[in-house]
Amino acid sequence: MVTLIANIVGYTAAVVGTSLMLPQIIKSLKTKKVKDISFIMLVFYFLNCILWLIYGILISALPVIVANSIALLISIFQIILKIIYS
Amino acid sequence: MVTLIANIVGYTAAVVGTSLMLPQIIKSLKTKKVKDISFIMLVFYFLNCILWLIYGILISALPVIVANSIALLISIFQIILKIIYS
C-alpha cells in the first residue's frame, strides 16, 4: 500500500518536475521580457535534466529517460528565449 | 562499475537540482526585480519539492529527504521574494 502511494507520488512529482518550466516559457513568449530570470538558474536546470537523463540511461529506467528528455527540450527552449529576448 | 558511475551522476544531479534556484534568489536579491519570473513556475517548483519530499519519506530514502527539504526551503524563499518585490 505504501509502495503504491509512493509510486503515485513519485510519478506525480516526475510530471510536475518535467513541466515546471512550461509556465515560464508561456510567460516569456507572451511578454518577450526575460531580464529578471537568472541565466545561471536556467543553465543549472539544463544540467539537472542532462544528469538525470544520463542517470536514467545508466540504470535503464525508461520513465526517468522519458521525463528528462522532455524536460531537457523544454529547458533548451527557455534558454533560447532568454538569449533571443535579452 | 556502471552502478558506481550511476550513483555519482545521480548524486551530482541531486546537488544541482537542489541548488538550481539559488542563482535566481541571488539575482532577485541584487536587482529587487522579479516581474519576468513566472509565479506558476515557482509554485510548480515548490510542489515538485513537496512531492519528492513525501516520496522520500514514504520510501525512507534519506538523501531524497535531505535534498528536497533544502530545495523546499529555497523555493519558499524565492516565492516570498517574488511576492515582496512584485
Side-chain angles (χ1 to χ4, degrees):
Chain A
M1 187 62 187
V2 172
T3 313
L4 176 68
I5 297 170
N7 280 341
I8 293 170
V9 173
Y11 278 105
T12 311
V15 171
V16 173
T18 304
S19 54
L20 71 82
M21 205 51 89
L22 276 181
Q24 184 61 65
I25 286 183
I26 293 166
K27 188 182 174 91
S28 299
L29 282 172
K30 272 187 186 167
T31 63
K32 294 185 177 26
K33 282 179 182 163
V34 293
K35 209 177 77 179
D36 305 339
I37 303 165
S38 161
F39 188 72
I40 304 167
M41 182 269 283
L42 295 180
V43 171
F44 272 36
Y45 185 69
F46 169 81
L47 284 176
N48 179 63
C49 299
I50 287 265
L51 288 165
W52 282 122
L53 179 58
I54 295 168
Y55 179 77
I57 293 165
L58 286 171
I59 67 162
S60 306
L62 195 62
V64 180
I65 296 171
V66 172
N68 284 286
S69 299
I70 298 169
L72 185 64
L73 292 178
I74 294 172
S75 85
I76 292 170
F77 192 62
Q78 180 60 45
I79 287 174
I80 292 171
L81 290 184
K82 171 75 179 169
I83 294 168
I84 290 175
Y85 292 147
S86 279
Chain B
M1 188 61 187
V2 173
T3 313
L4 176 68
I5 297 171
N7 280 341
I8 294 170
V9 174
Y11 278 106
T12 310
V15 171
V16 173
T18 303
S19 54
L20 70 83
M21 205 50 89
L22 276 180
Q24 184 62 63
I25 286 183
I26 294 165
K27 188 181 174 89
S28 299
L29 281 172
K30 270 187 188 166
T31 63
K32 295 187 177 24
K33 282 178 183 163
V34 293
K35 210 178 75 179
D36 305 339
I37 303 165
S38 162
F39 188 73
I40 303 166
M41 182 270 281
L42 295 180
V43 172
F44 272 36
Y45 185 69
F46 170 81
L47 285 176
N48 179 64
C49 300
I50 288 264
L51 287 165
W52 282 123
L53 179 58
I54 295 169
Y55 179 77
I57 292 166
L58 286 171
I59 66 162
S60 306
L62 195 62
V64 180
I65 296 171
V66 173
N68 284 286
S69 299
I70 298 168
L72 185 64
L73 292 178
I74 294 172
S75 85
I76 292 170
F77 192 62
Q78 181 60 44
I79 287 174
I80 292 171
L81 290 184
K82 170 74 180 168
I83 295 168
I84 290 175
Y85 292 145
S86 280

